[in-house]
Amino acid sequence: MTIDTPKTELLGTILLVDDDSINLTVFGQCLMSDYSVLAATSGPRALEIAHATPQPDLILLDIMMPGMDGYEVMNKLKESPQTRDIPVIFVTALTSDLDESRGFELGAVDYIYKPCNLATLSARVGTQIELKKARDRLRDQNSFLEADLQRRLRENQLIQLELLENEKLAAIGQLAAGIAHEINNPLGFIYSNFNTLQNYNREIFELLDAYECYVGETDNLPELLEKIQRLKVEKELDFLRRDMKELLLECRDGLTRVRDIIQNLRQFADGNDSEWQLTDINNALEVTLGIFAHGMNGALKIHKDFADIPPIQCLPARLNQVFLSLLVNASQAIETAGDIFVRTGHDQQQIWVEITDTGHGIAPEHLPHVFEPFFSTHPLGKSIGLGLSTSQSIVGAHHGKIEVSSTPNQGTTFTVRLPVRQETGNQAV
Ligand SMILES: Nc1ncnc2c1ncn2[C@@H]1O[C@H](COP(=O)(O)OP(=O)(O)OP(=O)(O)O)[C@@H](O)[C@H]1O
Ligand SMILES: [Mg+2]
């Protein structure tokens, strides 16, 4: 049943539930000037209307009804996710404290006794409708804020990824000049050897042409052999033979060096950054040290002390990035000449990589800040101060830890600890 209401500026929809149609009419007339009023004379019908659209903003529910009583209707309303948030006021002739407290226990927002003063009814309905509207507004704002938060989180993740990528390129970039030099050096002597070999090649073919010519000119064998012997001496054939062998060996050596550098670079960046793989960290360190050594000046001495550590499940390209950042930092801390020690070790739970340098160390007041994004003591424009914060996020995604200890003017040690087994699901970095 719907009680007709004027359609202007209604404050909400109210469902009246009562088996007595006189009550429905009296309450309906009291409320219809301000609300759209729906009515039901039984519990099942009330539930039907509560699930239909438009949903009531408030239900006034009688308790004593034949068949399904108000308590049961209330229980069913609370069971259904669609209707559990609709506020319910019990309107009843039951006046005992026990009934009232049972009603509140079931989730009623108010309790009104019949017969009731209509002005009181209207005021209490008004209060509940206001509260409901405020709750709805809050819920809408919350879902808007939640959606906004999710969007910002996604944006942050993208920025983080971009920074991670930039930091990797920056670390390689710092080594790029050295790597280019390392490639250029062998290429330089291969190129020069190649020119010499081209000359030798020409000489040998000239020698062969001369042999052919002599054979056509004379059939006097001793004379022929003597001419050939003279030519061999003139063309320094023995020297050519020795030197060609040496030049070819040198070329081969240079090409192997270029191939190794390129292989190291490829392994360092190894394909998919987000692919978890069972990895030998000693091996990953060798690859990274390979890249690092190509790019650094000769005044640095690297000392390796690798224990026999078990392979771990990790993102190798990301960890290589961490090791390279730590090595670059170590080399930047060494002003002229110095040493970098790279050690590995393990126990039952974890493996660790320790990178120690004999550089200038970190001032005690800087130590608590080194992992903060954009903290850098290097001149503006030279570094952005993301190496350690990026490394910390990468190690964190591996459920590991990165620690630092430093003594000014003596050196610094960074220790990366990584679990042997990844207990929980692998995170993206
Ligand atoms: N091995 C080290 N010895 C001395 N100081 C260090 C060492 N490693 C890091 N630091 C200090 O910590 C700061 C932060 O290091 P981080 O790698 O995050 O940034 P950065 O090297 O300044 O810049 P970026 O790595 O982005 O090029 C450095 O500027 C430096 O002051
Ligand atoms: Mg750095």
Side-chain angles (χ1 to χ4, degrees):
M1 176 176 16
T2 308
I3 298 174
D4 271 347
T5 52
K7 298 272 184 265
T8 51
E9 290 185 49
L10 294 177
L11 304 173
T13 302
I14 295 177
L15 170 61
L16 302 176
V17 189
D18 202 312
D19 59 324
D20 181 343
S21 54
I22 298 179
N23 280 340
L24 287 179
T25 312
V26 174
F27 292 162
Q29 276 173 353
C30 161
L31 298 169
M32 64 192 255
S33 56
D34 291 324
Y35 306 98
S36 165
V37 180
L38 309 170
T41 51
S42 71
R45 178 68 189 134
L47 290 172
E48 248 174 63
I49 297 175
H51 281 89
T53 318
Q55 268 206 323
D57 297 302
L58 177 68
I59 299 175
L60 297 190
L61 181 58
D62 183 23
I63 294 181
M64 285 191 301
M65 291 185 290
M68 189 185 284
D69 70 12
Y71 294 135
E72 204 181 333
V73 175
M74 182 68 163
N75 275 331
K76 296 228 176 297
L77 287 169
K78 291 292 170 200
E79 270 168 21
S80 160
Q82 266 173 280
T83 53
R84 72 160 65 111
D85 293 329
I86 305 175
V88 175
I89 299 178
F90 277 125
V91 185
T92 177
L94 296 176
T95 57
S96 83
D97 283 350
L98 220 62
D99 289 311
E100 189 173 328
S101 56
R102 183 169 174 203
F104 282 122
E105 267 164 29
L106 289 176
V109 292
D110 204 353
Y111 202 95
I112 299 175
Y113 300 120
K114 284 191 289 196
C116 64
N117 176 321
L118 290 180
T120 309
L121 176 88
S122 171
R124 286 162 91 165
V125 163
T127 306
Q128 292 305 333
I129 288 284
E130 291 260 307
L131 280 173
K132 160 83 166 45
K133 299 271 160 181
R135 275 200 301 274
D136 286 353
R137 271 197 302 277
L138 263 182
R139 196 196 48 215
D140 290 350
Q141 268 169 10
N142 268 350
S143 36
F144 171 78
L145 286 176
E146 178 69 19
D148 197 47
L149 187 71
Q150 290 301 336
R151 185 181 55 77
R152 279 162 200 260
L153 278 176
R154 275 196 304 277
E155 274 174 15
N156 269 353
Q157 269 169 353
L158 283 179
I159 293 172
Q160 178 85 10
L161 267 180
E162 231 168 80
L163 286 177
L164 213 66
E165 225 26 65
N166 284 348
E167 191 52 29
K168 185 163 95 185
L169 292 178
I172 297 182
Q174 277 163 336
L175 301 174
I179 294 174
H181 176 77
E182 277 285 290
I183 294 181
N184 206 29
N185 211 15
L187 280 186
F189 68 73
I190 290 169
Y191 193 72
S192 123
N193 286 1
F194 186 76
N195 279 340
T196 315
L197 285 167
Q198 245 181 342
N199 288 340
Y200 290 177
N201 185 53
R202 202 190 54 244
E203 302 252 352
I204 290 168
F205 275 105
E206 277 175 11
L207 199 67
L208 282 176
D209 288 346
Y211 285 175
E212 247 178 62
C213 210
Y214 292 161
V215 171
E217 271 172 12
T218 174
D219 46 10
N220 179 344
L221 198 58
E223 186 193 346
L224 184 64
L225 284 176
E226 199 204 315
K227 271 180 152 180
I228 288 179
Q229 195 52 40
R230 240 186 291 126
L231 197 60
K232 272 169 75 178
V233 173
E234 199 180 297
K235 293 277 184 198
E236 297 181 291
L237 192 64
D238 287 341
F239 169 76
L240 284 194
R241 197 190 300 268
R242 271 197 321 276
D243 204 36
M244 262 180 98
K245 199 170 159 196
E246 261 170 43
L247 292 181
L248 283 170
L249 278 176
E250 263 182 29
C251 285
R252 192 191 171 86
D253 185 45
L255 286 171
T256 310
R257 272 165 63 186
V258 173
R259 189 197 58 191
D260 287 351
I261 295 170
I262 289 168
Q263 244 174 19
N264 269 341
L265 274 172
R266 275 176 57 191
Q267 277 188 49
F268 176 81
D270 190 23
N272 191 346
D273 272 355
S274 53
E275 209 172 284
W276 288 80
Q277 289 168 27
L278 199 62
T279 306
D280 175 357
I281 292 298
N282 287 341
N283 199 34
L285 281 167
E286 288 287 6
V287 168
T288 309
L289 280 168
I291 297 288
F292 176 70
H294 294 315
M296 297 323 297
N297 67 46
L300 281 179
K301 223 167 167 289
I302 309 279
H303 309 265
K304 289 184 277 184
D305 179 7
F306 291 174
D308 192 9
I309 54 176
I312 61 162
Q313 196 70 25
C314 66
L315 297 167
R318 289 296 186 214
L319 288 183
N320 286 346
Q321 186 182 342
V322 172
F323 302 142
L324 185 61
S325 267
L326 296 180
L327 288 166
V328 169
N329 280 352
S331 68
Q332 285 168 339
I334 294 172
E335 269 130 28
T336 44
D339 300 276
I340 298 179
F341 300 86
V342 185
R343 303 186 185 95
T344 61
H346 78 111
D347 60 21
Q348 298 280 25
Q349 274 81 40
Q350 56 180 0
I351 66 146
W352 59 82
V353 175
E354 214 177 71
I355 297 181
T356 300
D357 64 67
T358 56
H360 55 55
I362 303 174
E365 66 272 24
H366 290 158
L367 205 57
H369 304 291
V370 291
F371 291 106
E372 287 169 13
F374 305 111
F375 176 84
S376 178
T377 53
H378 301 144
L380 208 69
K382 191 168 174 271
S383 302
I384 39 175
L386 278 177
L388 288 178
S389 73
T390 310
S391 298
Q392 198 174 43
S393 331
I394 295 173
V395 172
H398 286 79
H399 308 108
K401 271 197 300 194
I402 177 165
E403 295 156 1
V404 56
S405 66
S406 184
T407 311
N409 302 321
Q410 282 190 24
T412 303
T413 296
F414 279 89
T415 309
V416 176
R417 299 180 186 280
L418 297 161
V420 171
R421 271 170 297 280
Q422 291 291 332
E423 304 281 331
T424 48
N426 295 331
Q427 271 174 262
V429 178

